[in-house]
Amino acid sequence: MSEQLRSFFGCGLDDDRTFDLNDYGDSIPRWCVGCGDHGVLSAVKRMMRDQRLLPERTVFVSGIGCSSRFPHYLDTYGFHGIHGRALPIATGVKLSRPDLDVFVVTGDGDCCSIGAGHWLHATRYNIDMTVLLLDNAIYGLTKNQTSPTTPEGFETNTQPHGTYLPALNPLSTALGVTNASFVAQTADWVPAHLLATLKAAYEHVGFSFVRILQRCPKFSAPVFSEQARTPDLHELLFHSDGITVPSLDKIYKHRLEHDPSDLDRARSLAEDTERTRLGIFFKDATRPCYNAIRHLPTYTAAQNIERLNRELDRYAV
Amino acid sequence: MSPSSAATVTRIATDSGPGSAPKNVLHLDEHTLEIVSDSGEGAQKCGQIFASVSAKMNYGVWTVEIIPAEIEPPARTAAGASGNLIRFGRDKVTNWGDETNLVVAFNEQVLLARHRLDALSDDCIILIESKWAEDPDAEIRQEWQDAMEEISDRNYRVIPVPMEEQCLTRVDNPRKGKNMFALGLLAQIYGYDVEKISEQIRAQFAKKPPEVSKANVDLLELGVHWAQENLDLRIEVPRIETDEKRVVMNGNQAAALGAIASGMEFCAMYPITPATSVSQYLCDVFERYGGTMHQAEDEIAAAGAAIGASYAGKVALTVTSGPGLALKTEFIALAVMTEIPLVVLDVQRGGPSTGLPTKVEQSDLLAALFSQPGDAPRVVMAPATIEECFHSMVTARRIAKSFRCVVIVLTDANLASGQQQFQRPVLDERWHAAPANHRAVTSGERPYDWDPDTGLSRRIVPGQPGGMHTVTGLNHDHDSNVDYTPEINQLGCAMRSRKLAVLQQTMSPPPIHGDESGELLVVGWGSTKGAIEEAVDRVRAEGHAVSSTHLTFLSPMQPGLGEIFSRFEHVMTVELNYSDDPAAPYITPENRRLGQLAFLLRAQTLVDVDCWTRVPGQPLRPGHIADALRRKLSAASETEVRVNE
Ligand SMILES: Cc1ncc(C[n+]2csc(CCOP(=O)(O)OP(=O)(O)O)c2C)c(N)n1
Ligand code: SF4
Ligand SMILES: [Mg+2]
């Protein structure tokens, strides 16, 4: 939640506690060695520390998958739900408790397959929350089945002769949804970029959708291994209103200035997958947020009873 | 035209000579009337107003909507019959009775629909729009004649009324006003206070310009006047004055108001007949009470959002009907597993699949109890009256909250749209949950601090410092840590199940209608209560030792059932769901599929519970139930004779 909203809801601001990384959790995750999820977890904790998020007012909601184990490794509130359905749960949390900072962690199967309907609608609701799509291009937890983002031809246990269809593009999908307000991409192997992206996503008021390219050395290693080793296969999107990570300039030669308010260009950049582009594709803080539109005053039980009695009068015999 | 039908019509037409004062007034304790039209001609509105006024006059009232299956069915077809049935009387009315005594029909095809359903009494009085008999279209004239022929085997008293012709003297489009003219006819026949009805009309059209009310009241008065001049027909039903404060509404309104009264703060839904009107009502008014109504993208998301809201500290509701309940199953299991309070209102309709979307059935009972993966104990309750639709929402919320559990409330299409008056609820602040308290969690307090005896524990919700934990649908220990060990899985299952036993111990046995022991006990649940009790009363009046009992809670079941059953020689359920006819080919006692409650009761009590169930897509008739009870009694005595021999 932005400082502005915090002051609106009167929470957190008077709280000058600072936290260290361990305050957000110090348990050892059960992901495979080399799994990209580890790096995402570290970056998330760092971002929370930097932004001074209050652990008791932060909720991580997830579905089912390796990636969805995420909340268990944090000392915030967490809701490890069911496969594909993190977004509806998060919707209910944020609608009823606007004072909470809500994050969703989801996988490519969780978000883009079984939960795809919710993904589309949550994007349109534009509820203020940060959504991390940990995209390893495979079903990890269930061990190596094709997901919607598995590259065409890639052999998996369910499509052993090679994945039949071209992969779904989560960025252009998100950018195609009416009322999308924040779409970004980053990768687990570029920690500085990951952190900067998480910060920007958190600060954005609205539905901040971040696709994080995530290595799964266990099942989809070939999908990202060359990329992760080769900075030249990337292109960093930078802009004064987007993210700039000067420390990366030396290694990442390909850089492109992109104004995140330009939706048409965002769409064409997302569509063109020649290069792996990292950065904010689109951002528009003026899009209507469903949670703000639906925000309601609260009344006491006595007030409600008085009102309800008046309503009952309409039915009085 | 056949001689007989010609005779019927002409004889009755002369019956009502112009201006003749009513020769004889019928005095009856109750009467059942209905008004049927093509969809869109306003018969439902007419019926609703008549019912509201009847209730306000202190008559006992029960209404049933006659709903066409399509939005815009073709005009003048049996399938398009739309309207309202009202049974009213001096005493409390608890069901729609056996048959209709008076019909106002806007054309002969909708009348035929009712005739073919055997909905009309043999001496039914029929007031029917007369214009079709002389329609310029020969085909329509033929249809009219065929219809009169078809109904001529009954002793109906058919009274043609020039409704449209009369209305045209006041308005340009009689299709829009006939219903008020018809209301005028009814007002005169039953001797209702025209001013009371006008008041009700004005209230109905309060949001429209005053001309609208006026035009409608004009037509009402026209109907009254025409009836005074032309109808030799007066029916008088006595009424008892009472000081009791009462309200009149339908079951969906009652459930919506009950949800508000219970202090519920969040409701997520996806539109589905016949639950939609609960949601629409809440969409209109819930915000005034600080309640959020969320129309989700589907039923799954609606359940998810409700669970999310409840997890965050509110007690939330999701409203649906059978197919929606099916979609919510995985989420319901999650709520059970994480012990997040959730109320699910299922306004049952006919199934399976899309089934009979607008019609009544009680077929979701087993789905409500069992349609989750794994063992997912939850509370299931079923209001039997419209009053109970209100109060069960209050009870459901309290149970959900204090037992950290899922409560499924099963109403049905009959309760949903039927109107009845009941004692005005006295609202109570104690019905509401205490306001959320984000106190710090003390050390040692755990998210699942199951009391080892009761399984009960106190919730920790986001915002409470020191209480951070992750709830999960995976098996978990007291700290909500994922745990796959056999002991913890056994414990978690036991704790979630134990809560139902604890709840059950707070309940009383269901009351018995009739004697405490006897030959036959009838067991029912949900909206069939009134019809069952009326049937039992009739059979008891014939000297049979029959009683009935009605279950409000289906999970856990109220205590004492086995003991109650043991006091009767036979036990049978009467339900609005499917069971195999024992006499049908291939059906044996071994393979016979039983009514859903019968199935449960046998498992619960080890008593050989029989059942009589039907799926007519309409409420059960007390007369049909009484016949079934008589058959059961005589079959039982036959077997006894055989055994004695
Ligand atoms: C309703 C349902 N269907 C299927 C599953 C099995 N399942 C669990 S996780 C998963 C896919 C996980 O893939 P992804 O979302 O990409 O997450 P990852 O493990 O790769 O992080 C599947 C199919 C389930 N848990 N629930
Ligand atoms: S299977 Fe893949 S995604 Fe899952 S923990 Fe292992 S490396 Fe990570
Ligand atoms: Mg995956």
Side-chain angles (χ1 to χ4, degrees):
Chain A
M1 193 192 321
S2 68
E3 296 287 294
Q4 188 192 349
L5 274 185
R6 274 191 192 217
S7 61
F8 179 66
F9 293 116
C11 64
L13 269 194
D14 51 339
D15 199 320
D16 51 11
R17 279 180 288 165
T18 56
F19 303 93
D20 60 30
L21 292 180
N22 280 348
D23 290 327
Y24 294 106
D26 57 1
S27 60
I28 298 160
R30 304 267 191 86
W31 293 308
C32 306
V33 175
C35 175
D37 291 347
H38 293 286
V40 180
L41 181 65
S42 307
V44 163
K45 284 190 199 167
R46 217 164 266 146
M47 186 277 288
M48 293 202 284
R49 178 198 58 191
D50 296 352
Q51 304 285 323
R52 293 199 292 120
L53 263 71
L54 306 181
E56 71 272 15
R57 286 194 183 269
T58 305
V59 179
F60 275 78
V61 184
S62 65
I64 297 291
C66 293
S67 40
S68 288
R69 282 297 188 101
F70 212 91
H72 287 283
Y73 308 132
L74 289 170
D75 281 351
T76 63
Y77 280 93
F79 196 143
H80 181 205
I82 50 177
H83 193 31
R85 319 286 175 204
L87 288 167
I89 296 173
T91 297
V93 172
K94 189 67 184 179
L95 280 180
S96 60
R97 287 287 301 281
D99 60 306
L100 300 173
D101 277 323
V102 178
F103 293 81
V104 169
V105 183
T106 177
D108 41 307
D110 205 57
C111 176
C112 309
S113 194
I114 191 168
H118 306 310
W119 174 33
L120 188 158
H121 291 283
T123 306
R124 179 169 160 262
Y125 299 153
N126 192 30
I127 291 175
D128 186 21
M129 60 175 77
T130 303
V131 180
L132 310 181
L133 165 59
L134 301 193
D135 188 353
N136 56 2
I138 200 79
Y139 287 2
L141 188 72
T142 45
K143 300 191 167 70
N144 200 27
Q145 297 87 19
T146 287
S147 102
T149 61
T150 305
E152 188 175 354
F154 188 79
E155 290 171 16
T156 70
N157 284 347
T158 46
Q159 301 189 8
H161 309 299
T163 289
Y164 302 121
L165 293 171
L168 178 132
N169 182 334
L171 295 175
S172 29
T173 306
L175 288 166
V177 176
T178 309
N179 213 34
S181 84
F182 184 103
V183 177
Q185 175 159 274
T186 184
D188 80 66
W189 54 87
V190 199
H193 193 272
L194 175 57
L195 179 62
T197 310
L198 291 175
K199 267 185 191 153
Y202 171 72
E203 274 167 1
H204 172 76
V205 179
F207 187 82
S208 313
F209 179 73
V210 185
R211 181 196 190 196
I212 305 175
L213 303 174
Q214 178 238 316
R215 286 168 296 178
C216 168
K218 187 95 181 162
F219 299 121
S220 62
V223 177
F224 296 122
S225 57
E226 200 192 334
Q227 234 177 100
R229 267 187 270 118
T230 322
D232 276 1
L233 292 175
H234 299 74
E235 184 170 72
L236 302 189
L237 304 179
F238 74 97
H239 190 264
S240 55
D241 198 30
I243 28 182
T244 35
V245 193
S247 63
L248 295 174
D249 291 358
K250 266 193 220 126
I251 316 163
Y252 290 86
K253 295 278 163 7
H254 302 295
R255 298 169 67 247
L256 182 71
E257 180 155 25
H258 167 61
D259 177 354
S261 67
D262 185 345
L263 181 57
D264 285 340
R265 186 150 183 256
R267 285 178 175 153
S268 62
L269 289 175
E271 205 54 56
D272 165 27
T273 49
E274 198 67 5
R275 290 230 171 96
T276 300
R277 298 205 164 87
L278 306 183
I280 301 183
F281 284 73
F282 181 65
K283 185 170 107 174
D284 180 358
T286 67
R287 301 255 159 153
C289 285
Y290 184 70
N291 58 303
I293 295 166
R294 303 298 312 277
H295 185 65
L296 293 169
T298 48
Y299 304 105
T300 63
Q303 284 172 317
N304 278 344
I305 285 179
E306 193 201 313
R307 264 188 208 145
L308 189 55
N309 265 321
R310 263 182 273 139
E311 185 75 11
L312 281 178
D313 288 343
R314 294 182 44 216
Y315 298 93
V317 167
Chain B
M1 193 188 283
S2 81
S4 67
S5 63
T8 316
V9 175
T10 31
R11 177 168 54 79
I12 280 132
T14 49
D15 236 21
S16 49
S20 60
K23 284 181 213 99
N24 39 34
V25 179
L26 286 174
H27 293 275
L28 299 163
D29 280 349
E30 60 155 77
H31 216 237
T32 303
L33 69 135
E34 59 186 67
I35 151 150
V36 272
S37 69
D38 285 342
S39 166
E41 287 186 311
Q44 285 187 353
K45 178 142 278 171
C46 169
Q48 282 158 7
I49 295 176
F50 187 84
S52 298
V53 173
S54 308
K56 290 186 174 175
M57 291 167 69
N58 276 322
Y59 282 123
V61 174
W62 187 276
T63 75
V64 173
E65 269 184 22
I66 299 159
I67 307 170
E70 294 157 50
I71 301 287
E72 293 232 23
R76 294 176 40 77
T77 55
S82 160
N84 219 310
L85 175 148
I86 303 120
R87 182 183 183 197
F88 74 102
R90 184 189 62 188
D91 301 319
K92 188 170 175 190
V93 179
T94 62
N95 67 85
W96 71 333
D98 287 327
E99 46 193 21
T100 295
N101 314 114
L102 183 146
V103 182
V104 181
F106 286 14
N107 65 59
E108 81 289 346
Q109 297 304 314
V110 294
L111 174 69
L112 271 187
R114 305 300 297 156
H115 165 80
R116 286 176 187 160
L117 277 173
D118 257 342
L120 313 179
S121 66
D122 192 56
D123 59 353
C124 187
I125 299 159
I126 294 166
L127 299 154
I128 184 162
E129 165 65 81
S130 57
K131 72 167 199 153
W132 308 110
E134 286 115 44
D135 198 272
D137 185 335
E139 207 172 307
I140 290 180
R141 291 198 303 275
Q142 188 58 47
E143 281 169 1
W144 168 277
Q145 286 177 16
D146 293 348
M148 291 304 138
E149 166 88 49
E150 186 175 336
I151 62 173
S152 63
D153 60 337
R154 303 293 180 90
N155 293 310
Y156 297 153
R157 181 176 165 196
V158 181
I159 308 175
V161 181
M163 300 184 195
E164 189 160 321
E165 186 190 299
Q166 281 293 309
C167 291
L168 276 171
T169 64
R170 303 289 165 98
V171 288
D172 302 335
N173 181 2
R175 245 182 89 84
K176 293 270 174 213
K178 253 189 219 183
N179 59 341
M180 292 297 135
F181 179 83
L183 193 54
L185 300 180
L186 295 174
Q188 171 61 18
I189 292 169
Y190 292 105
Y192 276 27
D193 181 348
V194 179
E195 189 39 43
K196 269 216 170 84
I197 302 179
S198 310
E199 246 171 59
Q200 189 69 28
I201 292 176
R202 283 190 283 269
Q204 284 267 342
F205 295 104
K207 286 183 184 163
K208 301 251 172 85
E211 303 87 82
V212 177
S213 294
K214 186 171 176 313
N216 279 291
V217 170
D218 271 359
L219 287 165
L220 168 80
E221 284 167 354
L222 182 68
V224 173
H225 182 75
W226 189 91
Q228 278 168 351
E229 296 290 307
N230 298 285
L231 284 186
D232 178 26
L233 180 62
R234 279 279 286 112
I235 297 165
E236 227 160 69
V237 180
R239 54 203 167 103
I240 306 169
E241 291 303 328
T242 162
D243 293 336
E244 190 184 73
K245 283 192 172 175
R246 292 189 191 167
V247 285
V248 58
M249 62 183 71
N250 69 38
N252 277 359
Q253 289 165 331
L257 292 170
I260 298 171
S262 77
M264 216 96 72
E265 296 159 292
F266 188 96
C267 175
M269 50 69 66
Y270 185 81
I272 182 166
T273 306
T276 310
S277 67
V278 180
S279 307
Q280 285 178 354
Y281 187 19
L282 286 174
C283 286
D284 190 20
V285 304
F286 205 25
E287 290 201 352
R288 284 185 227 154
Y289 306 87
T292 300
M293 241 351 249
H294 173 55
Q295 178 178 337
E297 60 269 26
D298 57 40
E299 278 94 348
I300 300 176
I307 288 170
S310 189
Y311 161 75
K314 315 279 169 175
V315 180
L317 166 72
T318 180
V319 177
T320 193
S321 186
L325 183 70
L327 285 173
K328 290 176 199 293
T329 52
E330 196 191 3
F331 256 132
I332 289 173
L334 177 70
V336 170
M337 187 61 154
T338 50
E339 304 191 52
I340 290 174
L342 176 70
V343 178
V344 182
L345 172 62
D346 171 9
V347 185
Q348 298 168 96
R349 61 191 224 177
S353 190
T354 313
L356 302 172
T358 59
K359 313 272 187 198
V360 65
E361 221 170 275
Q362 298 182 311
S363 292
D364 293 349
L365 177 56
L366 294 180
L369 263 105
F370 299 124
S371 67
Q372 272 69 43
D375 185 54
R378 85 297 310 266
V379 175
V380 178
M381 52 190 299
T385 62
I386 287 159
E387 179 173 21
E388 285 179 20
C389 288
F390 181 95
H391 292 285
S392 61
M393 296 308 287
V394 177
T395 310
R397 193 209 58 75
R398 285 173 99 177
I399 294 175
K401 174 97 199 224
S402 31
F403 287 80
R404 289 183 73 170
C405 69
V406 174
V407 181
I408 300 181
V409 179
L410 296 174
T411 69
D412 63 37
N414 183 24
L415 291 170
S417 58
Q419 290 194 73
Q420 198 186 24
Q421 79 270 61
F422 56 91
Q423 196 182 352
R424 180 179 172 132
V426 181
L427 308 175
D428 192 329
E429 274 190 45
R430 285 169 302 180
W431 292 352
H432 292 235
N437 171 8
H438 296 153
R439 66 178 172 88
V441 170
T442 51
S443 74
E445 222 180 306
R446 300 175 296 180
Y448 297 98
D449 256 334
W450 295 306
D451 176 274
D453 289 336
T454 63
L456 296 174
S457 59
R458 202 147 63 138
R459 262 186 345 136
I460 299 173
V461 302
Q464 287 189 250
M468 288 79 76
H469 65 282
T470 291
V471 298
T472 174
L474 289 169
N475 190 55
H476 47 264
D477 63 12
H478 299 84
D479 292 304
S480 197
N481 290 330
V482 176
D483 195 317
Y484 294 149
T485 56
E487 300 73 34
I488 291 295
N489 196 41
Q490 186 74 29
L491 178 69
C493 284
M495 293 291 91
R496 291 186 294 273
S497 181
R498 189 75 50 78
K499 295 187 289 183
L500 293 199
V502 174
L503 173 64
Q504 192 258 5
Q505 301 248 334
T506 68
M507 299 174 179
S508 333
I512 312 281
H513 179 82
D515 290 335
E516 294 289 318
S517 61
E519 200 179 344
L520 176 62
L521 178 73
V522 183
V523 191
W525 65 284
S527 71
T528 49
K529 184 179 185 185
I532 291 175
E533 291 184 352
E534 188 168 332
V536 165
D537 288 344
R538 286 186 205 172
V539 181
R540 287 177 66 77
E542 293 158 16
H544 295 289
V546 180
S547 301
S548 68
T549 189
H550 214 73
L551 305 185
T552 307
F553 282 89
L554 288 318
S555 167
M557 283 202 188
Q558 285 143 283
L561 294 183
E563 196 274 322
I564 294 170
F565 290 6
S566 72
R567 290 189 251 126
F568 291 85
E569 282 160 50
H570 303 280
V571 180
M572 75 187 285
T573 67
V574 168
E575 306 176 61
L576 252 177
N577 53 36
Y578 180 78
S579 62
D580 288 325
D581 176 351
Y586 293 96
I587 303 302
T588 68
E590 195 179 64
N591 67 16
R592 181 181 176 210
R593 294 176 62 249
L594 297 164
Q596 300 194 5
L597 179 61
F599 175 92
L600 287 177
L601 288 176
R602 291 166 78 98
Q604 188 84 16
T605 63
L606 291 182
V607 171
D608 182 11
V609 177
D610 192 6
C611 63
W612 180 79
T613 79
R614 284 293 179 275
V615 280
Q618 54 182 23
L620 296 177
R621 304 275 191 186
H624 294 164
I625 299 173
D627 289 343
L629 303 189
R630 288 182 198 109
R631 281 194 303 273
K632 174 72 187 171
L633 287 164
S634 66
S637 59
E638 263 169 40
T639 24
E640 252 152 57
V641 171
R642 252 183 279 134
V643 171
N644 291 343
E645 277 164 3

